[in-house]
Amino acid sequence: MIGRLTGTLFVVEDEDVILDVGGVGYQLRVTERVRRVAMGVPDGVENVTIFVETMSRDDTFVLYGFASYHERVLFRLVRSVHGVSGTLAMRVVSLLGEEALIDGVCRQDKSIFRRVHGIGDKVANRLCHELKGKVESLVGADVLASGVGRAWSSMEEDAFSALVHLGYRRDDARRAVEKVRGEETVSMMVKSALRVLDA
């Protein structure tokens, strides 16, 4: 089973990316956050890490890719709910994102799940009911808390994720992003942060 891949990232189509690992191209179905992070990684940069969940479907293997360990944890939790397929769980995590998903479950806000195509009242109720205790225990144990509540824009979050995927320590990446918060795009922010880190 593949849990993580590191290589050179290529963006393809709307939902998939190809990660070149030692000359082998792995096609992954990824979240929106992975795509945004990919767009912020300068061309030709290697050692990009994507967390992976390997699932079998119709006699084939599907690799789901996530921008962080936290995203993968949430995917597994959503997937554990009765009647939720891997494809539907991916839509939930991709559309809602970590913070909104955790907040919605903790507040038992069924309406956020009904925003996801393929989810009606019955599944939304199950998601809120079955995930509440699991999500609260993980947040309380600080498994997910480090990714929630930072007073950053989505662009700054994506730049931070890109730096972590490039192999920098989370504390170093956080400090670098704080120093370049005025940049106009994720790509410019990552490039400026790399200069700070390499100084």
Side-chain angles (χ1 to χ4, degrees):
M1 179 177 291
I2 299 172
R4 188 180 69 176
L5 289 169
T6 299
T8 303
L9 189 63
F10 297 89
V11 180
V12 295
E13 302 177 350
D14 291 333
E15 298 180 333
D16 294 359
V17 301
I18 292 177
L19 190 70
D20 187 300
V21 182
V24 178
Y26 291 87
Q27 185 163 346
L28 301 102
R29 180 64 45 89
V30 297
T31 62
E32 177 62 26
R33 189 169 183 188
V34 172
R35 289 192 292 276
R36 294 200 313 262
V37 167
M39 298 306 293
V41 174
D43 293 340
V45 173
E46 300 178 352
N47 298 324
V48 175
T49 296
I50 296 179
F51 289 86
V52 178
E53 184 74 3
T54 307
M55 298 185 66
S56 102
R57 184 178 68 187
D58 300 329
D59 298 325
T60 62
F61 287 101
V62 180
L63 302 178
Y64 293 102
F66 305 93
S68 67
Y69 171 77
H70 305 140
E71 270 197 346
R72 191 178 68 179
V73 168
L74 288 173
F75 171 83
R76 287 176 173 175
L77 288 180
V78 174
R79 176 69 183 85
S80 72
V81 174
H82 177 69
V84 177
S85 65
T87 298
L88 188 55
M90 196 66 169
R91 281 188 211 147
V92 171
V93 175
S94 185
L95 177 65
L96 300 182
E98 296 174 37
E99 189 169 347
L101 175 53
I102 292 169
D103 182 62
V105 169
C106 291
R107 291 189 298 106
Q108 293 290 276
D109 181 4
K110 302 175 185 66
S111 66
I112 68 162
F113 293 110
R114 289 196 293 268
R115 291 163 42 195
V116 180
H117 177 70
I119 293 183
D121 289 341
K122 186 180 293 186
V123 175
N125 288 337
R126 280 205 301 266
L127 284 163
C128 281
H129 176 71
E130 295 184 31
L131 293 181
K132 183 171 171 54
K134 296 176 182 178
V135 166
E136 287 179 342
S137 66
L138 287 173
V139 172
D142 202 36
V143 174
L144 297 172
S146 62
V148 179
R150 289 193 298 265
W152 282 3
S153 67
S154 61
M155 186 171 70
E156 290 158 348
E157 293 274 5
D158 293 341
F160 170 77
S161 292
L163 293 170
V164 172
H165 294 339
L166 292 173
Y168 291 95
R169 293 173 58 248
R170 295 176 68 86
D171 288 345
D172 292 338
R174 186 175 292 108
R175 282 193 292 269
V177 169
E178 291 288 347
K179 291 182 179 180
V180 298
R181 294 181 78 169
E183 298 289 0
E184 296 180 359
T185 67
V186 175
S187 181
M188 292 171 64
M189 187 173 290
V190 171
K191 289 176 182 178
S192 295
L194 287 172
R195 286 195 291 271
V196 171
L197 289 164
D198 294 338

